[in-house]
Structures are given as structure tokens and as C-alpha cells.
Amino acid sequence: MIETVVTGLDQLDQLLLRTFPGKVVRKDLLHQIKGGENVPSYVLEYLLGRYCASDDPHEIQLGIEAVKQTLRDNYFRHDEANKAQSLVEQRGRHRFIDRVEVRFVPSEMKYWASMDNFSFDRIHVNERFYRQYDRLLEGGIWAIVDLEYRADEDEDASRNRKKSPFHIADMRPIQLARFDFEEYCDGRRGFTTEQWLDVLLRNTGLDPSRMERRLKLVILSRLIPFVERNYNLIELGPRGTGKSYAFSEMSPYSILISGGKASSANLFYNNARRQVGLVGHWDIIAFDEVGGMKVQDPDTIQIMKDYMANGRFSRRVTQVMADASFAFVGNLNQSVDTLVQNAGMDLFQPLLKEFDLALMDRLHFYVPGWEVPKNSSDLLTTRYGFVTDYLAEAFRVLRKENRYDQVGRHFRFGSHVEGRDATAARRTVSGLLKLLHPDGAYTVDEIRDYVELALEGRRRVKEQLKKRGSFEFYKTSFSYIDRSGAGARGKWCDLPGALATLDGLHRRGQQ
């Protein structure tokens, strides 16, 4: 453990290094390398943690050079696939950093591995690898792979099957082999809530010291789908505010779908193959540039509505249950003031026409993306944060926790907070509690802040539905009653800024 104060480290850096030795990394080192390498952040941080585990500037610089050399030697782009294959043939064996997936081919009764950038889908793989690392069969993982060329040892040659000279000799997934959740919670107790909030924001690559608390919580809300199962989040806002960063870079259990086509077979269930789609293999499915999505079949939206409401859906005689959360991110092409003040527009303007009121009503939280400043170099953190795969494992354990009932212990919602509204608010608060208080210790004042943010985010959804002229969504005067203290009190949850003009909001009590 590092006990000495190192020049250049702030108080939070020192606390992180003392409490989580070997599990933190300087985030600015990632920025130095990331711009020139099209590799997920958690892959780069794995290498940085391996070569730059020091506080000495000279050793860190040597480590950065080692990381760059490792990428030059072992990471190949798609257009270098032929070169990579030739290298294995010439040398007999070579090490690669690549995404590996294993699939079973029934017609051959054999498992084959494929490597994305190596561009070869018939690689022999030993059973011990896909038995030990089951995510190889569930969409694939990034790994360090030792590949061998065995031209004279093709085990299928005698069966007149298609030959393949490539064999996986060894494999090390780029993710934690073991995660201690109790250690994570014990470490959290050494931080204040504000310090922990700053730590989490550093992991998004941003510098929290330049933010007001309001902005910190808005950005933190992007992470709720990582810790809350079957959570539906939407963020629309200006371009260049980092809306999709967390979903593409912060976890190997998240997948970002950029525009393109959405089909029921791909997302939910393939009837021909009798296979569950993406919802069965990923914790978070994020739809980037959601306005550019193309729905291939009419069943997709109906199944999506069923799934977003209940976490399950039916296909013919099969009922499927899954835990994946949905995140919809996209751009607003007009200013918020224009969308709010124009009677024919609303804050769902960029969404597909297929996204009807029923689907939008299933959204739990609308992140006000217009409050987040555009990314710039002065907003990026140069401080320590968690190694991405460590935090990803913590989030994955927290997904199994249930904090849904915590709101009811302290507050009662007003009459305008109806069934789906209450569910959305409770789930949002549950997610914030998991993120900021994984050990379960919080104050009433803290959970009150989360309740107000949760009601605001859900009300933003409902106000848009109301603006579209649907009478059933007219109850938007959200309030809550504090059960603690002498006598209950009510409080309207007002929306901030331009949104406050939606229906002349004002503060008053409601029993």
C-alpha cells in the first residue's frame, strides 16, 4: 500500500491509492494513448495498470512507451488481418490483443473461435477456455491470445472437413479474474459521499472539480443502467457532450448500437435459430443516434414495449426473461427553448415515428443532455480513477442488489405520481443509492436529493406525453411527502430552467 504523500497528488488521489492499491490508474494516461488507438478504454487501462503501476514520472513514461510498443506488436487493425495471419504462419506462434468469440456449429459438432481483427472464424479452441470463460459463448470478450500455426496437425483432416491451421494455445481475458464486493464496500466507507461522487465522475473521464453538484448528478444519472436491471433511460441533447461514451468505453458488459437496423431477431429472439438476442447477452444495450434507427419489422416495437414494461416477452410458445437495460441517446437539432415554446414540438422530437406514446411512457428517466457542456480538453480529468474493469465488476454485482423499497421508508408520493411514475422514481433512486452508497449507508437528506432528481427525470418524460395531447398523462404536478419529522410536508418537484415554462410550475404543498 502507498502511505507516503506524493508530490502532485491531491487529497482524493492519495485516498484512492491508499484504499484501493492496484485498482486505480491515472486517467490522463488513458487520454494520452486513446486518441491514437481504436481500442476500448478497459483494454488500454489493463495495459496501463500492468506497465504504469508507479508514481515515479520516469517509470510512468517508460510504462507508456511499453504500452505503445505492446499495441504495435500485438494489436492489428481490420485492414492488417492478412499481415497478422502471415505472421503466425511464419513464426509459428504470435500473441494478439483482440476480441474473441466462440460458437458451436451443430453440423460439424464442433466449437470454433473467431477473432475480429484477425478476420478468421475457424480457429481451433480448447474446451477449457469456453468452459472457464462462458462469455466467449455470449457475444465474446477482449483477451490476450497466443495463436499457433499447426499445418500438419489439423484434427479434422481425416474427416474431410474444412481444414484450419490456427489454434488458440493460451488466452487471458482482459477483465478481473476475481472481485471482492465486501472490499469495495469497505473502501467506500473511507470516503464522503461528495468524494465518492467525484471518484465516479473521474471514471467518465471528466474533471468534477469544474462542476456544480447539479451537473455532477445529471452526469452520474447516465450510469444508472449499469447498476439497475431492466432500466430504461433516454438522453437527448447537443452534439459532442459525451452521451454515448459511458456505454462504449466503461464496461465490457455494455454494447453500443450506432444507428442502423433494429430487428426482433437481433434484439430479442431469433425464431429460426431458437436463440435469445442481445437482451440475453448484455447488461446494457445503448442505441446511439436513436433518431437514425430503422425498425425492420413491426413486431420489434411491440416486443420492445413488453420488455421495457416487464423485463420479459413472448415469442410463439416461448417466454423469455432478461435483465438488460436500455439507453437511448441522440441529438436535439433545435434549442431547448424552441422545442419547449413551440406548440408543435417537444423534447422527444428526434425519436422515430414508430416510438409511440406507450413506448415513451415506459422510459424511467430523461437526462437533460443540454445541461452538459461540450467536451473539451480542459474538462478532462488528469487525476486517478478506478481501473475500468474493476468498477465494471462492482456495477455488475450491484445489479443483483435490490434497493427498490428504500424510498417508501422515508417518503410517500403525491396523487399525481401514478403507477409507472412511482416505479420509475423508485428505480432511479435505487440506482443512485447503489452508485453512491453501495454499502447501504445514507442519510435522509441524501435520499431526498435523489427522490427530487428521480421525480424530475420522470416528470420530464410525462410532460412531453402531455404536450402531445394525450389526456391520460395530464397529472404532472409531482410531489412527495416526507414521513420523518413532526408532521408530514409536501413539496412540488419543479423542473429547472427552460422546462419550467411548460405549464407555469410553482411551488406548493399537497397531501
Side-chain angles (χ1 to χ4, degrees):
M1 294 179 65
I2 299 173
E3 298 291 349
T4 57
V5 177
V6 182
T7 303
L9 301 182
D10 65 10
Q11 182 181 3
L12 191 54
D13 287 335
Q14 296 169 30
L15 185 56
L16 274 171
L17 287 164
R18 287 197 304 269
T19 310
F20 295 98
K23 300 177 179 67
V24 295
V25 66
R26 268 178 49 187
K27 292 298 178 176
D28 61 322
L29 300 182
L30 176 64
H31 304 323
Q32 291 181 35
I33 301 176
K34 178 65 178 172
E37 304 292 346
N38 188 22
V39 184
S41 294
Y42 50 86
V43 175
L44 291 177
E45 287 188 355
Y46 174 89
L47 298 173
L48 288 171
R50 184 176 178 182
Y51 292 108
C52 301
S54 171
D55 298 305
D56 181 82
H58 179 65
E59 291 187 14
I60 287 177
Q61 191 56 44
L62 291 176
I64 290 175
E65 294 305 317
V67 170
K68 291 180 178 178
Q69 187 62 48
T70 299
L71 291 172
R72 281 194 293 268
D73 294 340
N74 306 128
Y75 177 73
F76 291 79
R77 301 189 306 271
H78 279 286
D79 59 355
E80 298 176 314
N82 193 50
K83 175 184 175 183
Q85 295 172 18
S86 175
L87 202 60
V88 180
E89 189 273 332
Q90 293 172 16
R91 297 182 179 179
R93 181 175 178 138
H94 192 73
R95 176 167 293 175
F96 295 93
I97 297 174
D98 206 341
R99 183 179 168 279
V100 187
E101 182 177 1
V102 175
R103 72 196 186 287
F104 177 65
V105 180
S107 61
E108 301 179 25
M109 295 300 291
K110 179 174 174 58
Y111 288 85
W112 290 104
S114 61
M115 292 167 56
D116 282 3
N117 293 349
F118 192 72
S119 294
F120 202 84
D121 60 3
R122 296 181 68 85
I123 303 172
H124 297 283
V125 57
N126 191 288
E127 180 181 359
R128 66 185 174 92
F129 293 122
Y130 56 80
R131 296 301 181 201
Q132 184 176 358
Y133 310 119
D134 55 2
R135 284 192 66 83
L136 285 169
L137 298 165
E138 300 172 356
I141 57 174
W142 279 84
I144 296 175
V145 183
D146 288 344
L147 215 57
E148 288 186 349
Y149 187 88
R150 305 176 189 171
D152 299 327
E153 299 180 19
D154 194 310
E155 62 188 33
D156 291 332
S158 61
R159 305 178 191 177
N160 294 321
R161 291 175 181 168
K162 198 171 182 179
K163 293 184 178 182
S164 173
F166 298 114
H167 295 248
I168 292 179
D170 196 15
M171 180 191 305
R172 283 179 292 166
I174 299 179
Q175 59 187 63
L176 288 180
R178 175 182 172 273
F179 176 78
D180 189 335
F181 183 63
E182 289 303 318
E183 178 186 68
Y184 178 77
C185 290
D186 287 342
R188 162 63 181 93
R189 296 183 185 104
F191 296 75
T192 66
T193 299
E194 294 305 311
Q195 286 175 328
W196 194 252
L197 173 57
D198 286 353
V199 169
L200 294 178
L201 290 178
R202 286 182 178 186
N203 265 75
T204 67
L206 301 175
D207 182 0
S209 67
R210 298 176 178 270
M211 303 177 189
E212 299 290 337
R213 191 171 191 274
R214 160 75 183 182
L215 177 57
K216 292 180 182 181
L217 290 176
V218 167
I219 294 176
L220 183 73
S221 64
R222 292 172 169 175
L223 305 183
I224 296 176
F226 288 89
V227 296
E228 193 70 14
R229 291 180 290 188
N230 300 117
Y231 188 82
N232 307 316
L233 175 142
I234 185 169
E235 178 177 358
L236 302 175
R239 293 169 175 80
T241 55
K243 295 183 289 292
S244 61
Y245 177 86
F247 306 111
S248 64
E249 303 291 345
M250 282 192 64
S251 173
Y253 306 117
S254 172
I255 185 171
L256 179 69
I257 301 174
S258 299
K261 300 177 181 179
S263 68
S264 57
N266 182 42
L267 288 175
F268 299 106
Y269 193 83
N270 188 314
N271 284 322
R273 298 181 179 179
R274 296 186 179 181
Q275 291 179 345
V276 178
L278 295 176
V279 295
H281 300 300
W282 298 92
D283 288 350
I284 308 103
I285 301 172
F287 302 88
D288 195 12
E289 304 292 349
V290 64
M293 282 178 58
K294 294 180 175 61
V295 179
Q296 285 189 290
D297 55 86
D299 288 345
T300 302
I301 296 299
Q302 184 57 50
I303 297 173
M304 184 177 287
K305 287 190 285 190
D306 292 343
Y307 179 77
M308 291 172 67
N310 307 307
R312 61 180 181 269
F313 58 91
S314 298
R315 293 298 280 164
R316 295 183 180 176
V317 297
T318 303
Q319 185 172 76
V320 180
M321 300 183 68
D323 295 330
S325 296
F326 281 169
F328 302 91
V329 296
N331 302 316
L332 292 175
N333 295 318
Q334 292 91 10
S335 70
V336 175
D337 288 332
T338 300
L339 293 173
V340 168
Q341 296 169 8
N342 191 316
M345 297 182 176
D346 57 57
L347 295 174
F348 284 142
Q349 197 70 23
L351 297 184
L352 302 176
K353 65 180 186 300
E354 288 90 351
F355 279 38
D356 57 18
L357 297 181
L359 187 144
M360 290 185 282
D361 188 32
R362 286 154 169 79
L363 295 169
H364 296 127
F365 193 88
Y366 189 133
V367 180
W370 51 89
E371 294 188 25
V372 182
K374 285 183 176 290
N375 288 340
S376 62
S377 57
D378 60 330
L379 289 178
L380 300 179
T381 184
T382 59
R383 298 296 182 177
Y384 279 86
F386 284 120
V387 173
T388 298
D389 63 333
Y390 178 76
L391 191 62
E393 293 300 327
F395 287 172
R396 196 149 207 244
V397 173
L398 285 165
R399 285 179 70 83
K400 302 175 184 177
E401 300 280 317
N402 187 348
R403 310 281 173 89
Y404 184 80
D405 62 340
Q406 297 300 302
V407 173
R409 296 183 180 185
H410 307 283
F411 305 100
R412 178 170 62 86
F413 293 135
S415 60
H416 277 216
V417 183
E418 299 176 307
R420 282 187 178 146
D421 307 323
T423 297
R426 290 192 179 101
R427 300 195 66 175
T428 299
V429 173
S430 173
L432 291 170
L433 288 173
K434 292 177 186 180
L435 289 167
L436 291 169
H437 310 276
D439 58 341
Y442 61 86
T443 67
V444 175
D445 286 339
E446 287 171 335
I447 194 173
R448 181 182 292 111
D449 287 344
Y450 309 152
V451 167
E452 292 190 7
L453 182 67
L455 288 174
E456 174 198 320
R458 171 57 188 178
R459 181 176 180 179
R460 190 172 289 112
V461 171
K462 202 169 183 182
E463 288 282 6
Q464 312 318 304
L465 303 179
K466 175 183 176 181
K467 195 176 182 184
R468 293 198 172 199
S470 181
F471 179 78
E472 63 185 297
F473 300 110
Y474 79 95
K475 292 183 177 181
T476 58
S477 297
F478 286 4
S479 64
Y480 65 86
I481 308 299
D482 192 337
R483 296 181 184 273
S484 63
R489 60 189 179 89
K491 182 180 181 183
W492 289 107
C493 176
D494 290 351
L495 300 187
L499 293 186
T501 65
L502 281 175
D503 64 350
L505 300 177
H506 57 279
R507 192 173 292 275
R508 56 178 174 163
Q510 178 191 18
Q511 296 293 339

